[in-house]
Amino acid sequence: MNADVVTCDLCDAHPDVVRVLDLPLRDFGGRRAFSGIVSTVCALEDNSRVREAVAEAGAGRVLVIDGGGSTRRSMLGDLLAEQAVANGWAGVLVHGAIRDSVAIGQLDLGVKALGTVPLKTEKRGQGVRDVPVTFGGVTIRPGDWLAADADGVLVADRPLG
């Protein structure tokens, strides 16, 4: 994300274009501001599809994980976050929980989530990739553009700023 562009400025400049998430997300990654084209995963308490996604070239994209808001199992841990960094992902947004938050905080990766939980997921091969997901009052589609910083998260149909 361009250091000169922040979500507040984007909202001021494009009020009719941005969709702002209404969620109490917390910052966990070492990169506080990030943006990129969206890829999605929708799965409940199974991060098999997350593992598949971060194994691919990220090319500066943002992985949006709809974990159904569950904080019972972690959808992202340090090993998957390290793989995301190695493969060029800009950030990960989790509608759910992560684990290994101290280690993730040391990585050059934007990570926002509802909270933390020490339990990993069971790998059952469930979930779907690159489908529209809806949470926080916003529908996020693969190919949308997402920007996040300390003030929040916004989504637009095209890159802004």
Side-chain angles (χ1 to χ4, degrees):
M1 174 179 236
N2 181 336
D4 296 331
V5 178
V6 296
T7 57
C8 294
D9 293 341
L10 291 170
C11 286
D12 291 349
H14 307 279
D16 298 329
V17 174
V18 299
R19 305 182 310 271
V20 178
L21 264 70
D22 181 16
L23 277 180
L25 294 169
R26 295 172 47 197
D27 282 306
F28 292 101
R31 184 186 298 179
R32 295 293 187 217
F34 58 96
S35 65
I37 301 299
V38 168
S39 180
T40 65
V41 168
C42 183
L44 181 64
E45 299 178 10
D46 180 345
N47 69 355
S48 300
R49 300 293 170 250
V50 175
R51 180 176 302 279
E52 290 173 4
V54 299
E56 299 172 358
R61 291 180 293 162
V62 174
L63 183 60
V64 175
I65 303 167
D66 183 359
S70 172
T71 55
R72 292 183 299 262
R73 299 280 182 155
S74 167
M75 295 300 286
L76 181 76
D78 62 341
L79 298 179
L80 294 183
E82 287 171 2
Q83 192 169 21
V85 171
N87 288 329
W89 290 85
V92 180
L93 184 146
V94 184
H95 181 225
I98 68 159
R99 65 188 230 155
D100 304 310
S101 62
V102 172
I104 287 174
Q106 302 302 310
L107 300 175
D108 185 22
L109 182 70
V111 177
K112 285 188 176 279
L114 292 175
T116 61
V117 65
L119 283 173
K120 65 182 180 179
T121 67
E122 295 178 14
K123 310 294 187 281
R124 299 182 306 268
Q126 297 179 344
V128 291
R129 291 188 52 198
D130 289 320
V131 296
V133 296
T134 302
F135 55 86
V138 172
T139 296
I140 304 170
R141 298 175 304 269
D144 279 348
W145 182 77
L146 182 146
D149 63 12
D151 290 316
V153 177
L154 62 83
V155 181
D157 293 340
R158 61 179 172 77
L160 305 173

